[in-house]
Amino acid sequence: MNDTDVFDFSTFPTLTTERLVLREPLLTDATDVLIDNKGEGVSLCFFCDDALKFYRDVRSRGIDASEPHVGNGMWATQVTDPDGYELAFQ
């Protein structure tokens, strides 16, 4: 996926919009500073009906995704968008 591609999540029937988890990075001490880069330290977690099917769908479209693994008792996979945002799908 390059910067000119538009990624339309609505084309994936396994994705639902029921829940969205937003988290801030945990800073370990006062010397930790977030750099003002798009996507740095930001990850979004989407809950979908079938993370394995979502993984197969994105891979079939040539999009890099992490190997599915079990996290929090659910299958999960992750992609990184062109701005560096980590997008997790469970």
Side-chain angles (χ1 to χ4, degrees), residues 6-73:
V6 175
F7 192 69
D8 182 6
F9 288 109
S10 67
T11 63
F12 293 96
T14 58
L15 184 64
T16 64
T17 56
E18 295 174 12
R19 295 168 282 187
L20 175 64
V21 176
L22 302 174
R23 295 184 179 159
E24 292 182 2
L26 178 63
L27 301 179
T28 57
D29 60 44
T31 62
D32 287 341
V33 178
L34 292 176
I35 299 171
D36 191 23
N37 291 332
K38 279 186 186 179
E40 185 167 337
V42 177
S43 59
L44 301 171
C45 181
F46 297 91
F47 292 86
C48 56
D49 295 331
D50 187 342
L52 295 175
K53 183 173 183 334
F54 181 82
Y55 170 79
R56 288 189 296 270
D57 287 348
V58 296
R59 293 293 296 160
S60 73
R61 296 169 191 226
I63 299 168
D64 289 330
S66 67
E67 280 290 321
H69 63 280
V70 176
N72 298 323

Side-chain angles (χ1 to χ4, degrees), residues 59-90:
R59 293 293 296 160
S60 73
R61 296 169 191 226
I63 299 168
D64 289 330
S66 67
E67 280 290 321
H69 63 280
V70 176
N72 298 323
M74 297 177 275
W75 281 103
T77 187
Q78 183 173 312
V79 297
T80 302
D81 84 351
D83 289 325
Y85 292 94
E86 295 176 10
L87 309 174
F89 297 87
Q90 294 185 346

